[in-house]
Coordinates of all heavy atoms in Angstrom, one line a residue:
A36 N 6.2 18.5 -4.4 CA 7.5 19.1 -4.8 C 8.5 18.0 -5.2 O 9.4 18.3 -5.9 CB 8.1 19.7 -3.5
Y37 N 8.2 16.7 -4.8 CA 9.1 15.7 -5.1 C 8.6 14.6 -6.1 O 9.3 13.8 -6.7 CB 9.7 15.0 -3.9 CG 10.5 15.9 -3.0 CD1 9.9 16.5 -1.9 CD2 11.8 16.3 -3.4 CE1 10.7 17.4 -1.1 CE2 12.6 17.1 -2.6 CZ 12.0 17.7 -1.5 OH 12.7 18.6 -0.7
H38 N 7.2 14.5 -6.1 CA 6.6 13.4 -6.9 C 5.5 13.9 -7.8 O 4.9 14.8 -7.5 CB 6.0 12.4 -5.9 CG 6.9 11.9 -4.9 ND1 7.8 10.8 -5.1 CD2 7.1 12.2 -3.6 CE1 8.5 10.6 -4.1 NE2 8.1 11.4 -3.1
S39 N 5.5 13.2 -9.0 CA 4.4 13.5 -9.9 C 3.3 12.5 -9.8 O 3.5 11.4 -10.3 CB 5.0 13.5 -11.3 OG 4.0 13.8 -12.3
I40 N 2.2 12.9 -9.1 CA 1.1 11.9 -8.8 C -0.2 12.6 -9.4 O -0.4 13.8 -9.2 CB 1.0 11.7 -7.3 CG1 2.2 11.0 -6.8 CG2 -0.2 10.7 -7.1 CD1 2.2 10.8 -5.3
Y41 N -1.0 11.8 -10.1 CA -2.3 12.3 -10.6 C -3.3 11.1 -10.6 O -2.9 10.0 -10.5 CB -2.1 13.0 -11.9 CG -1.7 12.1 -13.1 CD1 -2.6 11.4 -13.8 CD2 -0.3 11.9 -13.4 CE1 -2.2 10.6 -14.9 CE2 0.1 11.1 -14.4 CZ -0.8 10.5 -15.1 OH -0.5 9.6 -16.2
I42 N -4.5 11.5 -10.7 CA -5.6 10.6 -10.8 C -6.0 10.4 -12.3 O -6.3 11.4 -12.9 CB -6.8 11.0 -10.0 CG1 -6.5 11.2 -8.5 CG2 -8.0 10.0 -10.1 CD1 -6.1 10.0 -7.8
D43 N -6.0 9.2 -12.8 CA -6.5 9.0 -14.1 C -8.0 8.6 -14.0 O -8.3 7.5 -13.6 CB -5.7 7.8 -14.8 CG -6.1 7.5 -16.2 OD1 -7.1 8.1 -16.6 OD2 -5.4 6.7 -16.8
N44 N -8.9 9.6 -14.3 CA -10.3 9.3 -14.2 C -10.8 8.2 -15.1 O -11.8 7.5 -14.7 CB -11.1 10.6 -14.4 CG -10.9 11.6 -13.2 OD1 -10.8 11.1 -12.0 ND2 -10.8 12.9 -13.5
S45 N -10.3 8.1 -16.3 CA -10.8 7.1 -17.2 C -10.5 5.7 -16.7 O -11.3 4.8 -16.8 CB -10.2 7.3 -18.6 OG -8.8 7.1 -18.5
A46 N -9.3 5.5 -16.1 CA -9.0 4.2 -15.5 C -9.3 4.1 -14.0 O -9.2 3.0 -13.5 CB -7.5 3.9 -15.7
R47 N -9.8 5.1 -13.4 CA -10.1 5.2 -12.0 C -8.9 4.6 -11.2 O -9.0 3.7 -10.5 CB -11.3 4.5 -11.6 CG -12.6 5.1 -12.2 CD -13.9 4.8 -11.6 NE -14.0 4.5 -10.2 CZ -14.1 5.5 -9.2 NH1 -14.1 6.7 -9.5 NH2 -14.2 5.1 -7.9
A48 N -7.7 5.3 -11.4 CA -6.5 4.8 -10.8 C -5.6 6.0 -10.4 O -5.6 7.1 -10.9 CB -5.7 4.0 -11.9
I49 N -4.8 5.7 -9.4 CA -3.7 6.6 -8.9 C -2.5 6.3 -9.8 O -2.1 5.2 -9.9 CB -3.4 6.5 -7.4 CG1 -4.6 6.7 -6.6 CG2 -2.2 7.3 -7.0 CD1 -4.5 6.2 -5.1
V50 N -2.0 7.3 -10.5 CA -0.8 7.2 -11.3 C 0.4 7.9 -10.6 O 0.3 9.1 -10.4 CB -1.0 7.7 -12.7 CG1 0.2 7.5 -13.6 CG2 -2.2 7.0 -13.4
I51 N 1.5 7.2 -10.4 CA 2.7 7.7 -9.9 C 3.7 7.8 -11.0 O 4.3 6.8 -11.4 CB 3.2 6.9 -8.7 CG1 2.1 6.8 -7.6 CG2 4.5 7.5 -8.1 CD1 2.4 5.8 -6.6
A52 N 3.8 8.9 -11.6 CA 4.6 9.1 -12.9 C 6.1 9.0 -12.6 O 6.8 8.8 -13.6 CB 4.2 10.4 -13.5
D53 N 6.5 9.1 -11.4 CA 7.9 8.9 -11.0 C 8.4 7.5 -11.4 O 9.6 7.3 -11.6 CB 8.2 9.1 -9.6 CG 7.8 10.5 -9.0 OD1 7.2 11.3 -9.8 OD2 8.0 10.8 -7.9
M54 N 7.5 6.5 -11.3 CA 7.9 5.1 -11.5 C 8.0 4.9 -13.0 O 7.3 5.5 -13.8 CB 6.9 4.2 -10.9 CG 6.9 4.3 -9.4 SD 5.8 3.0 -8.8 CE 6.6 2.8 -7.2
G55 N 8.8 3.9 -13.4 CA 9.0 3.6 -14.8 C 7.7 3.0 -15.3 O 6.9 2.5 -14.6
A56 N 7.6 3.1 -16.7 CA 6.4 2.6 -17.3 C 6.2 1.1 -17.1 O 5.1 0.6 -17.2 CB 6.4 2.9 -18.8
E57 N 7.3 0.4 -16.9 CA 7.2 -1.1 -16.7 C 6.8 -1.5 -15.3 O 6.5 -2.7 -15.1 CB 8.5 -1.7 -17.1 CG 9.7 -1.5 -16.2 CD 10.3 -0.1 -16.4 OE1 10.0 0.6 -17.4 OE2 11.1 0.3 -15.5
S58 N 6.8 -0.5 -14.4 CA 6.5 -0.9 -13.0 C 5.0 -1.1 -12.7 O 4.1 -0.4 -13.2 CB 6.9 0.3 -12.1 OG 6.4 0.0 -10.7
M59 N 4.7 -2.2 -12.1 CA 3.3 -2.6 -11.8 C 2.7 -1.6 -10.8 O 1.4 -1.6 -10.7 CB 3.2 -4.0 -11.3 CG 3.8 -4.3 -10.0 SD 3.6 -6.0 -9.6 CE 3.3 -5.9 -7.8
M60 N 3.5 -0.9 -10.1 CA 2.9 0.1 -9.1 C 2.7 1.5 -9.6 O 2.4 2.4 -8.9 CB 3.8 0.1 -7.8 CG 3.9 -1.2 -7.1 SD 2.3 -1.7 -6.5 CE 2.1 -0.9 -5.0
R61 N 3.0 1.7 -10.9 CA 2.9 3.0 -11.5 C 1.4 3.4 -11.5 O 1.1 4.6 -11.3 CB 3.5 3.0 -12.9 CG 3.3 4.3 -13.7 CD 3.8 4.2 -15.1 NE 3.5 5.4 -15.8 CZ 4.2 6.5 -15.9 NH1 5.4 6.6 -15.3 NH2 3.8 7.5 -16.7
S62 N 0.6 2.5 -11.8 CA -0.9 2.8 -11.9 C -1.6 1.8 -10.9 O -1.6 0.7 -11.1 CB -1.4 2.6 -13.3 OG -2.8 2.9 -13.4
I63 N -2.2 2.4 -9.9 CA -2.9 1.6 -8.8 C -4.4 1.9 -9.0 O -4.8 3.1 -8.7 CB -2.4 2.0 -7.4 CG1 -0.8 1.8 -7.4 CG2 -3.1 1.2 -6.4 CD1 -0.3 2.4 -6.1
P64 N -5.2 0.9 -9.3 CA -6.6 1.2 -9.4 C -7.2 1.5 -8.0 O -6.8 0.9 -7.0 CB -7.2 -0.2 -9.8 CG -6.0 -0.9 -10.5 CD -4.8 -0.4 -9.8
L65 N -8.1 2.5 -8.0 CA -8.7 3.0 -6.7 C -9.4 1.8 -6.0 O -9.4 1.8 -4.8 CB -9.6 4.1 -6.9 CG -8.9 5.5 -7.3 CD1 -9.9 6.5 -7.7 CD2 -8.1 5.9 -6.1
D66 N -9.9 0.9 -6.8 CA -10.6 -0.2 -6.2 C -9.7 -1.2 -5.3 O -10.2 -1.9 -4.5 CB -11.4 -1.1 -7.2 CG -12.5 -0.3 -7.9 OD1 -12.9 0.7 -7.2 OD2 -12.9 -0.7 -9.0
H67 N -8.4 -1.1 -5.6 CA -7.4 -1.9 -4.9 C -6.8 -1.2 -3.7 O -6.1 -1.9 -2.9 CB -6.3 -2.3 -5.8 CG -6.7 -3.2 -7.0 ND1 -5.8 -3.7 -7.9 CD2 -7.9 -3.6 -7.4 CE1 -6.4 -4.5 -8.8 NE2 -7.7 -4.4 -8.5
V68 N -7.1 0.0 -3.5 CA -6.6 0.8 -2.3 C -7.5 0.6 -1.1 O -8.7 0.8 -1.1 CB -6.5 2.3 -2.7 CG1 -6.0 3.1 -1.5 CG2 -5.5 2.5 -3.9
F69 N -6.8 0.1 0.0 CA -7.6 -0.1 1.2 C -7.5 1.1 2.1 O -8.3 1.2 3.0 CB -6.9 -1.3 1.9 CG -7.4 -2.6 1.4 CD1 -7.3 -2.9 0.1 CD2 -7.8 -3.6 2.2 CE1 -7.7 -4.1 -0.4 CE2 -8.2 -4.9 1.8 CZ -8.2 -5.1 0.4
G70 N -6.6 2.0 1.9 CA -6.5 3.2 2.7 C -5.3 4.0 2.3 O -4.3 3.5 1.7
I71 N -5.3 5.3 2.7 CA -4.1 6.2 2.5 C -3.9 6.8 3.9 O -4.9 7.4 4.5 CB -4.4 7.3 1.4 CG1 -4.6 6.6 0.1 CG2 -3.2 8.2 1.4 CD1 -5.0 7.6 -1.1
I72 N -2.7 6.6 4.4 CA -2.4 7.0 5.8 C -1.3 8.0 5.9 O -0.2 7.7 5.3 CB -2.1 5.8 6.7 CG1 -3.3 4.8 6.7 CG2 -1.8 6.2 8.1 CD1 -3.0 3.5 7.4
P73 N -1.5 9.2 6.4 CA -0.4 10.1 6.5 C 0.5 9.9 7.7 O 0.0 9.5 8.8 CB -1.1 11.5 6.7 CG -2.4 11.1 7.4 CD -2.7 9.7 6.9
F74 N 1.8 10.1 7.6 CA 2.7 10.0 8.7 C 3.5 11.3 8.7 O 3.3 12.1 7.8 CB 3.7 8.9 8.6 CG 3.0 7.5 8.8 CD1 2.6 6.8 7.7 CD2 2.9 7.0 10.0 CE1 2.0 5.6 7.9 CE2 2.3 5.8 10.2 CZ 1.8 5.1 9.1

Side-chain angles (χ1 to χ4, degrees):
Y37 296 102
H38 303 280
S39 177
I40 300 174
Y41 63 92
I42 302 294
D43 182 353
N44 288 323
S45 63
R47 294 198 35 83
I49 299 169
V50 179
I51 303 169
D53 301 4
M54 294 188 151
E57 69 283 349
S58 174
M59 66 182 217
M60 296 300 276
R61 178 182 169 89
S62 179
I63 303 169
L65 287 170
D66 293 340
H67 294 186
V68 177
F69 280 49
I71 298 176
I72 302 174
F74 291 94

